[in-house]
Structure formats: structure tokens, C-alpha cells
Amino acid sequence: MITNDDIVKHLRFIADKEKISIDEEALGLIARISKGGFRDAISLLDQTSATKSKITAMTIAEFTGLQDESQIKTIIDSIKQNDAKS
């Protein structure tokens, strides 16, 4: 399995060669999502590069359907406390 750091480095190399504008946070998120799957990481970079604008972590989250963990925790806590209003 490839480390996240190795994935980020190689994705940065690809992005630079292909002139894909992407920030480091987005590269890190792609690496985490791919869970060591190098082809998965490259595929996600390729798919999101079709947006033609700068790729951010928010772009990756929206593209993959990721949810903000803090919002999920807030919802779970509200359910545990029977706090329907929250």
C-alpha cells in the first residue's frame, strides 16, 4: 500500500504537468479518500479536474459526497439528548 505522502507527491507531479490548479488540502483529502489506492487517487484527480477551476478540499468533498464531521457529531449529540429543535 502506498502512503498518503507518496500519493500527494505524485498527484502534485501530475497536477503540475497537466496544469491542474489544486491546493494541498485537496490533494491530502484525495489521498485519504483513496486509502492507499493509487489508481483511485489519480482517477479522482482526473474527474475533478474537469471543473476547470481551482480544486479545493470543498470541491473534493462535494464531488464525493463527504459530509462535515463536526455537523454529523452535532446531529448525533442532538439525537442522543432528544433535542429535536437542534
Side-chain angles (χ1 to χ4, degrees):
M1 190 153 58
I2 301 169
T3 68
N4 285 353
D5 287 340
D6 288 338
I7 291 173
V8 168
K9 287 176 189 174
H10 199 73
L11 291 177
R12 172 52 62 204
F13 174 79
I14 293 170
D16 290 346
K17 290 292 182 184
E18 297 295 322
K19 297 185 181 5
I20 298 169
S21 179
I22 185 167
D23 65 31
E24 293 302 311
E25 187 179 5
L27 291 173
L29 185 53
I30 290 174
R32 286 192 304 277
I33 290 170
S34 67
K35 297 179 183 175
F38 193 62
R39 286 183 287 180
D40 291 341
I42 293 171
S43 177
L44 184 53
L45 174 64
D46 182 48
Q47 291 171 30
T48 55
S49 71
T51 64
K52 302 293 183 196
S53 58
K54 183 168 186 168
I55 301 168
T56 64
M58 181 63 75
T59 307
I60 302 300
E62 288 173 355
F63 190 84
T64 60
L66 288 178
Q67 300 299 313
D68 181 6
E69 290 181 23
S70 65
Q71 288 179 342
I72 293 172
K73 184 180 180 323
T74 299
I75 292 169
I76 291 171
D77 289 343
S78 295
I79 291 170
K80 286 178 180 177
Q81 297 171 7
N82 290 323
D83 183 2
K85 185 177 181 180
S86 293

